[in-house]
Amino acid sequence: MKTKLGLGIGFCLIVFFSSISAIAQNGEKYFTKDGHVSFYSETKIETIEADNHKATSVLDSENGKMEFAILIKAFEFEKALMQEHFNENYMDSDEFPKAIFKGAIANIDEVNFGEAGTYNVRVEGDLTIHGVTQAVSAEGTLEVDGDGGIKAVSEFPVKPADYDIKIPSVVVDNIAEEMSVKVNIDYKVFKR
Amino acid sequence: MKKLLLVFLSMLSFLFVQSQDLLDLLGEEEVTQEFVEASFKTTRVINVQSLENVAGGVLDFKISHRFGRLNGGAYELFGLDQATMRFGFDYGINDWLMVGVGRNSFEKTYDAFFKAKVLRQQKGKKNIPLSILWASGITAKTIKRSDNNEIDFKHRLAYVHQLIIGSKISKGTSFELVPTVVHRNLVATADENNLVYIIGAALRQKLTKRIAINAEYFYILPNQVADNIKNSLSIGFDIETGGHVFQLHFTNSTSMSDKGFLTETNGDWLDGDIHFGFNISRVFTVKR
């Protein structure tokens, strides 16, 4: 009898806690599978630019958590040989196929996902490129259109040296020490 | 006690739900199909066509030299006093077809060829472990005959047809087999065949990201060519610096045109009839 009671209470507790967790997940989630991420390197000798239109990302409006996965081989260059060298000699794309970001909007309290408007945000988290993880932060904007869409825009610097990406001395004048990374995402509401 | 355990367990499941990756919500991602690239650093291993084409819209300007024989000794500065050269332009019409023209100072030979990717090594949804390419070319030897007799232009021509079958078996290692037929419209003696069957093989091993070692060998099937003709063997290094590839090598072949190194190599490695040589490749993106 006592055990049955225990089980009953236990069951209630499980239901209780799972409902809490359901409430916790109540905030909308937003996603994209075709986000635009690009980088730009400029030196006196050469300008290098590459675009990726296949970035996936999820944004949780409840807690501001944000994640990105970017397929390195999906970066497209103007010159075919540059693209080959990028994957083959610099990024080791077969070994490290993706760049990953896991972080959160630090000032999520200032964003009202229910009201159309442009909000300045600061995103902090861990960026993994070429198998190396670094803590990063970036300023950006969230543009809530009030119709279920959010446009996220940011630009921040990335140094190849921080991610163990070696630039040989013969091309050291062609490749910038610091690249500018641009993120341009159109999030849509995620429906289960 | 049990109650406590259950509470604890449900807490755990709650925590688990919270720590789940957001990206997992999107489910399994689609497997992409991708072509295997960069099996060789450039379109030629040393003399022979490699598994690579220039990309569509890209022009590759090549300058190659073969110096004299090492056994010329110090007097000839180990062959450096003599040089033959070929320059050529290769152009990628699209990602599977390239064409090229060239001129070799050896026997004043012009050449033209095309190379098409018939099957491309790829991985993803379906795995294709090897590439097959088809290359065909024509050469015209325009040097005046030593006997000063004029011959018909057609007798100056030769044709080369090759299948290039190979694979990038790991990040650093690639190989290819090259069944070849060469048709020479005119041969020196009746003992020689006009049509010559040859089987070639080539290997690339990367030493570092930008330096690789290459070797290629061509076996001429017996009783087809004059006795003094040897099988072509070349060994060399590729050094890549951004838009350039420098290829430095040693070979027993003087000619850089396909028909020439395949059927007219008369140097013997064991006698020191070895030529130092280089190819320099520079690519230009002509059309996007």
Side-chain angles (χ1 to χ4, degrees), chain B residues 30-264:
Chain B
E30 296 162 40
V31 185
T32 50
Q33 189 72 12
E34 62 183 59
F35 292 117
V36 173
E37 293 188 321
S39 57
F40 290 89
K41 291 236 181 262
T42 176
T43 60
R44 301 256 180 181
V45 182
I46 292 170
N47 283 316
V48 72
Q49 301 281 3
S50 77
L51 293 171
E52 294 299 322
N53 275 9
V54 281
V58 173
L59 181 74
D60 185 357
F61 177 49
K62 285 183 194 293
I63 295 184
S64 308
H65 279 63
R66 299 292 180 270
F67 294 99
R69 291 173 172 175
L70 293 185
N71 60 9
Y75 178 69
E76 300 281 357
L77 199 61
F78 305 95
L80 294 186
D81 285 352
Q82 304 119 26
T84 55
M85 67 91 77
R86 177 185 183 273
F87 66 93
F89 297 93
D90 294 353
Y91 181 69
I93 290 174
N94 53 41
D95 281 341
W96 59 268
L97 180 64
M98 70 179 270
V99 293
V101 291
R103 207 284 192 167
N104 188 345
S105 67
F106 182 72
E107 296 183 330
K108 302 189 188 301
T109 306
Y110 292 85
D111 64 75
F113 70 91
F114 73 84
K115 179 161 68 161
K117 293 184 173 179
V118 179
L119 182 72
R120 295 174 75 176
Q121 187 179 354
Q122 50 197 280
K123 57 189 180 183
K125 274 184 206 142
K126 57 177 179 183
N127 278 301
I128 298 176
L130 53 81
S131 291
I132 300 175
L133 291 85
W134 169 26
S136 284
I138 181 169
T139 57
K141 178 165 124 179
T142 66
I143 197 166
K144 285 178 182 154
R145 287 169 63 96
S146 52
D147 57 14
N148 271 326
N149 284 342
E150 286 299 317
I151 55 166
D152 286 350
F153 182 68
K154 67 179 180 196
H155 287 136
R156 295 182 171 277
L157 301 181
Y159 309 92
V160 177
H161 304 287
Q162 297 179 303
L163 278 182
I164 303 142
I165 304 160
S167 180
K168 182 178 184 180
I169 47 179
S170 72
K171 207 172 146 189
T173 312
S174 307
F175 77 93
E176 63 181 40
L177 290 175
V178 190
T180 302
V181 291
V182 178
H183 187 274
R184 302 171 294 172
N185 282 358
L186 182 70
V187 289
T189 66
D191 292 340
E192 294 184 54
N193 291 3
N194 290 88
L195 192 60
V196 181
Y197 297 92
I198 300 163
I199 176 89
L203 185 74
R204 185 286 294 263
Q205 175 61 51
K206 268 189 171 183
L207 301 176
T208 71
K209 276 188 179 163
R210 291 171 183 83
I211 298 175
I213 185 165
N214 295 323
E216 60 178 53
Y217 180 71
F218 292 86
Y219 176 71
I220 305 173
L221 273 64
N223 305 321
Q224 299 190 96
V225 291
D227 290 343
N228 64 325
I229 300 303
K230 300 285 189 291
N231 294 327
S232 175
L233 170 66
S234 312
I235 296 167
F237 293 94
D238 285 354
I239 301 164
E240 175 198 302
T241 62
H244 291 89
V245 179
F246 296 89
Q247 298 183 295
L248 309 175
H249 32 255
F250 293 97
T251 173
N252 58 341
S253 301
T254 310
S255 177
M256 287 160 272
S257 60
D258 290 347
K259 177 253 340 188
F261 78 84
L262 289 165
T263 62
E264 290 167 5

Side-chain angles (χ1 to χ4, degrees), chain A residues 142-155:
Chain A
L142 282 188
E143 203 181 311
V144 177
D145 68 5
D147 205 23
I150 298 172
K151 194 175 167 65
V153 177
S154 178
E155 183 171 353

Side-chain angles (χ1 to χ4, degrees), chain A residues 3 6-7 9-11 13-14 17 20-21 24-25 29 31-33 56-58 60 65-69 71 73 78-81 84-85 88-90 92 94-95 98 102 166 168 170-171 190 192, chain B residues 2-3 6-7 10-11 13-14 17-26 28-30 32 34-35 37-38 40-41 52 55-56 58 123 168 171 204 206 209-210 240-244 282-283 285 288:
Chain A
T3 5
L7 275 175
I9 293 171
F11 180 69
L13 280 171
I14 289 174
F17 275 107
I20 285 185
S21 102
Q25 301 220 316
K29 288 192 178 64
F31 83 107
T32 184
K33 283 184 175 182
T56 57
S57 176
V58 178
D60 188 340
K65 276 190 180 166
M66 204 176 213
E67 290 185 7
F68 284 83
L71 198 62
K73 280 196 179 169
E78 194 181 297
K79 294 180 181 172
L81 194 67
E84 181 181 311
H85 289 168
E88 186 84 0
N89 295 348
Y90 295 92
D92 301 298
D94 283 320
E95 213 175 323
K98 281 179 187 171
K102 289 185 180 187
K166 294 191 183 73
V170 282
V171 291
F190 179 74
R192 268 161 216 281
Chain B
K2 243 181 196 152
K3 238 188 283 176
L6 276 166
V7 169
S10 45
M11 292 282 276
S13 65
F14 172 69
V17 168
Q18 285 304 293
S19 65
Q20 203 182 17
D21 274 353
L22 278 176
L23 285 167
D24 290 346
L25 289 175
L26 301 181
E28 286 286 305
E29 58 199 295
E30 296 162 40
T32 50
E34 62 183 59
F35 292 117
E37 293 188 321
F40 290 89
K41 291 236 181 262
E52 294 299 322
V58 173
K123 57 189 180 183
K168 182 178 184 180
K171 207 172 146 189
R204 185 286 294 263
K206 268 189 171 183
K209 276 188 179 163
R210 291 171 183 83
E240 175 198 302
T241 62
H244 291 89
R282 166 79 216 190
V283 297
T285 303
R288 275 154 212 167

Side-chain angles (χ1 to χ4, degrees), chain A:
Chain A
M1 195 59 203
K2 210 178 173 190
T3 5
K4 267 191 185 162
L5 184 66
L7 275 175
I9 293 171
F11 180 69
C12 291
L13 280 171
I14 289 174
V15 171
F16 177 57
F17 275 107
S18 19
S19 56
I20 285 185
S21 102
I23 292 163
Q25 301 220 316
N26 228 1
E28 291 279 23
K29 288 192 178 64
Y30 298 86
F31 83 107
T32 184
K33 283 184 175 182
D34 52 10
H36 180 198
V37 174
S38 62
F39 69 83
Y40 185 81
S41 148
E42 190 179 17
T43 66
K44 277 178 189 164
I45 297 176
E46 194 161 39
T47 299
I48 300 167
E49 210 173 352
D51 292 278
N52 187 327
H53 292 276
K54 289 179 182 166
T56 57
S57 176
V58 178
L59 165 65
D60 188 340
S61 66
E62 178 67 23
N63 48 22
K65 276 190 180 166
M66 204 176 213
E67 290 185 7
F68 284 83
I70 296 149
L71 198 62
I72 300 299
K73 280 196 179 169
F75 275 102
E76 291 174 341
F77 291 70
E78 194 181 297
K79 294 180 181 172
L81 194 67
M82 258 183 199
Q83 191 165 329
E84 181 181 311
H85 289 168
F86 173 72
N87 288 307
E88 186 84 0
N89 295 348
Y90 295 92
M91 301 298 285
D92 301 298
S93 304
D94 283 320
E95 213 175 323
F96 308 110
K98 281 179 187 171
I100 302 281
F101 174 79
K102 289 185 180 187
I105 298 171
N107 56 335
I108 187 69
D109 300 344
E110 295 166 28
V111 183
N112 183 351
F113 286 89
E115 197 180 306
T118 303
Y119 303 90
N120 290 322
V121 290
R122 196 176 68 257
V123 177
E124 289 168 359
D126 292 330
L127 179 60
T128 306
I129 304 174
H130 194 236
V132 179
T133 304
Q134 299 282 0
V136 294
S137 73
E139 306 282 326
T141 57
L142 282 188
E143 203 181 311
V144 177
D145 68 5
D147 205 23
I150 298 172
K151 194 175 167 65
V153 177
S154 178
E155 183 171 353
F156 57 94
V158 166
K159 284 184 181 169
D162 290 345
Y163 298 89
D164 200 21
I165 299 164
K166 294 191 183 73
I167 295 168
S169 53
V170 282
V171 291
V172 86
D173 294 333
N174 299 56
I175 300 173
E177 261 177 64
E178 193 175 277
M179 314 257 159
S180 167
V181 175
K182 284 179 200 164
V183 179
N184 205 325
I185 305 282
D186 285 313
Y187 283 111
K188 291 180 284 286
V189 176
F190 179 74
K191 294 186 187 80
R192 268 161 216 281

